[in-house]
Amino acid sequence: KMMEIMTKEAGTVQLRELVKKLIPESIGKEIEKQTQGIFPLKDVYIRKVKLIKKPKFDITKFMELHNDTDADGGVAMLRPEAEEAQNLITAEVKA
């Protein structure tokens, strides 16, 4: 019964929504409700999740997510970078 509930919950949503369900333990609470007639369970938690099949990668959805943001790519630093904070590997190449 528990496997059926977990499979049903995980199979109907996207990966992002599944993570949002796993964090507040809503699937564990659903398992508690559904199994009360069989055996009174308490403190049901899902502690490990295994990804069996790789989700389909949709490049258009990916690009929509990244093109919707209006934030800049960054701003120039107002003060110069300290010498000890500079990357030593690229500093040797420049020298």
Side-chain angles (χ1 to χ4, degrees), residues 68-79:
D68 289 344
T69 59
D70 292 332
D72 345 318
V75 293
M77 291 180 60
L78 298 175
R79 58 182 171 78

Side-chain angles (χ1 to χ4, degrees), residues 42-86:
K42 65 176 188 172
D43 299 330
V44 177
Y45 300 109
I46 297 174
R47 67 175 190 181
K48 199 181 234 187
V49 178
K50 184 176 183 180
L51 188 64
I52 296 173
K53 187 174 80 171
K54 187 170 99 171
K56 294 178 184 174
F57 179 70
D58 190 7
I59 190 71
T60 56
K61 283 188 179 181
F62 180 74
M63 293 307 291
E64 286 175 5
L65 286 173
H66 288 282
N67 289 339
D68 289 344
T69 59
D70 292 332
D72 345 318
V75 293
M77 291 180 60
L78 298 175
R79 58 182 171 78
E81 187 175 2
E83 186 152 339
E84 60 269 1
Q86 291 179 355

Side-chain angles (χ1 to χ4, degrees), residues 2 5-6 9 21-36 41-47:
M2 289 188 280
I5 295 169
M6 287 185 283
E9 293 287 329
K21 282 185 174 184
L22 287 171
I23 291 173
E25 294 294 332
S26 64
I27 297 176
K29 292 174 188 170
E30 183 67 27
I31 291 171
E32 283 182 32
K33 289 180 201 171
Q34 296 287 329
T35 57
Q36 282 299 330
L41 297 174
K42 65 176 188 172
D43 299 330
V44 177
Y45 300 109
I46 297 174
R47 67 175 190 181

